[in-house]
Amino acid sequence: MKLFLREHIPLISINIVQVLIILFTFWLGGYRNYPLALYSLFLGAFLLTVYLTYRYITHKAFYKRLTSSIEGLDEANQSLGYAPLPEALERLLKSQYTQYMNELNVQAKKRSDHLTFINQWVHQMKTPLSVIELLAQEDDDEKIESIREEADRLGKGLEMVLYAARLEAFEHDFQVGPVSLGKITEQTIRDNKRLFIKSRVYPETNIDPEIVVESDEKWLSFILNQFITNAVKYSSGISQKIMITVSKAEDHALIEIQDHGIGIAKTDMKRIFHPFFTGENGRLYRESTGMGLYLAKEVCDLLGHEIEMESEKDKGTKVKLII
């Protein structure tokens, strides 16, 4: 209504000025019939009111569309009336909607093709990596050990790429079911055995084997792997152990990973879950990508889990995964 009135203020003003000029012209010509003049004013005002009322009724949906935001794309296809101006806007919105949906479908196909390529590429790279690992197992030479370590890092990097790609289509790549937190935690520790040994950091565990939760085992393993590898990496050369606890608390299960490594600067704590953010620790550890914690947080949000992190520089970090 406000937009309608603002748009028609010039028309109302011009009509008033026009009627006054006509009456003034008759008055200058000596015409002094005041009742007739008032009657003509009334007729002019009445006809203008009828016109404005008709225009408002026929353009009501049009003005409502202009003054309210679109909450859903389907609203672009709503009828705006049968007057020429509303029909023109309706055609424009439908044309834009069609063009947008076509572009959206093109981009969705491109993204799908890209994800397919990434998945295929990672799996193709895993084959020669597996061959390298098998060949490296045949000798205990120091150089061969270095090759095994680099192959390990390469494998973890490929896993990171694969999970980052899968996150784009998470709704098609997860399956919720009963998961034993004890078994999955112990398996993650075993998977990182070589990293523990190389870093000379060893796990101390306090795991309740009876705790079972509803979650996705594969994604939960990915989250735990990020936390454990970070704890080991940032404890290497500083502390010889990390503490891993699996316990039950009231209405939820809890996994805690406590290290005594370099910790996180207070100024970095607010941004640790931002993509590609490495902070002060990234200057010390060049292999840090800043993606591990970001992906872990994204997966936790999608699974309905929570992450709490406490850290103090040079004293260590405690991560809590609440399930």
Side-chain angles (χ1 to χ4, degrees):
M1 186 65 170
K2 289 182 179 179
L3 179 61
F4 175 81
L5 292 174
R6 289 209 319 266
E7 185 192 10
H8 287 87
I9 283 176
L11 176 64
I12 296 170
S13 301
I14 289 174
N15 270 269
I16 293 173
V17 171
Q18 181 181 359
V19 170
L20 291 175
I21 289 173
I22 293 173
L23 292 176
F24 183 67
T25 302
F26 278 105
W27 183 80
L28 289 177
Y31 192 78
R32 300 288 193 273
N33 191 336
Y34 295 111
L36 186 59
L38 291 173
Y39 182 65
S40 63
L41 281 174
F42 168 76
L43 286 178
F46 176 75
L47 290 175
L48 179 61
T49 303
V50 170
Y51 167 75
L52 292 176
T53 302
Y54 167 76
R55 186 171 177 83
Y56 177 73
I57 292 172
T58 56
H59 290 69
K60 186 176 180 180
F62 169 74
Y63 285 106
K64 185 178 180 181
R65 174 73 284 150
L66 292 178
T67 54
S68 60
S69 59
I70 294 179
E71 296 180 358
L73 290 176
D74 291 340
E75 292 184 19
N77 292 320
Q78 290 180 348
S79 175
L80 300 178
Y82 300 101
L85 191 59
E87 285 183 341
L89 178 62
E90 185 179 331
R91 286 194 298 270
L92 175 63
L93 289 176
K94 287 182 178 179
S95 173
Q96 289 180 333
Y97 173 80
T98 302
Q99 185 176 357
Y100 175 78
M101 292 305 297
N102 290 338
E103 184 65 25
L104 200 63
N105 290 332
V106 170
Q107 294 302 322
K109 187 178 186 307
K110 286 182 178 179
R111 190 180 74 168
S112 177
D113 292 343
H114 175 71
L115 292 178
T116 301
F117 167 75
I118 291 294
N119 284 323
Q120 290 178 348
W121 178 81
V122 170
H123 287 298
Q124 287 174 355
M125 292 302 101
K126 280 186 173 183
T127 301
L129 183 61
S130 298
V131 174
I132 292 172
E133 289 175 339
L134 285 172
L135 293 174
Q137 288 176 0
E138 298 177 359
D139 201 331
D140 290 331
D141 184 77
E142 186 177 340
K143 291 182 179 179
I144 298 298
E145 179 61 29
S146 296
I147 292 175
R148 281 199 291 261
E149 290 175 2
E150 294 305 317
D152 232 10
R153 291 176 59 190
L154 184 57
K156 289 184 182 299
L158 289 174
E159 284 296 319
M160 178 77 76
V161 172
L162 187 60
Y163 276 100
R166 286 174 174 172
L167 193 61
E168 292 284 331
F170 183 83
E171 65 276 8
H172 303 301
D173 194 53
F174 81 106
Q175 184 174 0
V176 175
V179 178
S180 171
L181 289 188
K183 288 182 180 179
I184 199 173
T185 303
E186 290 171 350
Q187 182 59 49
T188 306
I189 292 172
R190 285 195 294 271
D191 291 341
N192 288 281
K193 180 175 64 175
R194 191 175 295 167
L195 177 64
F196 277 109
I197 296 171
K198 174 198 169 187
S199 304
R200 296 182 181 178
V201 177
Y202 306 100
E204 287 188 6
T205 61
N206 181 12
I207 298 174
D208 184 345
E210 303 299 325
I211 298 178
V212 177
V213 298
E214 291 293 320
S215 187
D216 182 282
E217 184 173 349
K218 178 183 66 179
W219 284 104
L220 198 54
S221 294
F222 170 76
I223 296 168
L224 285 176
N225 188 66
Q226 298 308 310
F227 293 153
I228 289 176
T229 53
N230 277 356
V232 174
K233 179 170 64 177
Y234 296 126
S235 295
S236 180
I238 298 172
S239 173
Q240 292 187 343
K241 67 178 182 179
I242 63 172
M243 186 68 190
I244 302 173
T245 305
V246 178
S247 59
K248 190 79 173 177
E250 296 181 359
D251 59 343
H252 59 265
L254 185 66
I255 300 177
E256 293 181 84
I257 302 170
Q258 170 79 61
D259 69 64
H260 302 282
I262 61 175
I264 302 171
K266 189 176 181 180
T267 53
D268 291 342
M269 284 299 293
K270 293 182 179 179
R271 295 189 289 169
I272 55 175
F273 295 118
H274 291 188
F276 306 109
F277 178 75
T278 57
E280 291 185 14
N281 292 345
R283 300 184 184 95
L284 301 175
Y285 297 84
R286 296 296 182 183
E287 69 271 17
S288 298
T289 63
M291 288 298 291
L293 288 180
Y294 163 72
L295 292 174
K297 182 66 166 62
E298 289 290 303
V299 175
C300 280
D301 290 343
L302 291 168
L303 290 175
H305 305 333
E306 295 180 24
I307 300 175
E308 292 181 1
M309 186 173 287
E310 304 169 6
S311 186
E312 189 173 347
K313 192 169 177 59
D314 299 324
K315 291 188 177 181
T317 302
K318 178 188 281 189
V319 179
K320 296 180 181 179
L321 178 59
I322 304 169
I323 304 172

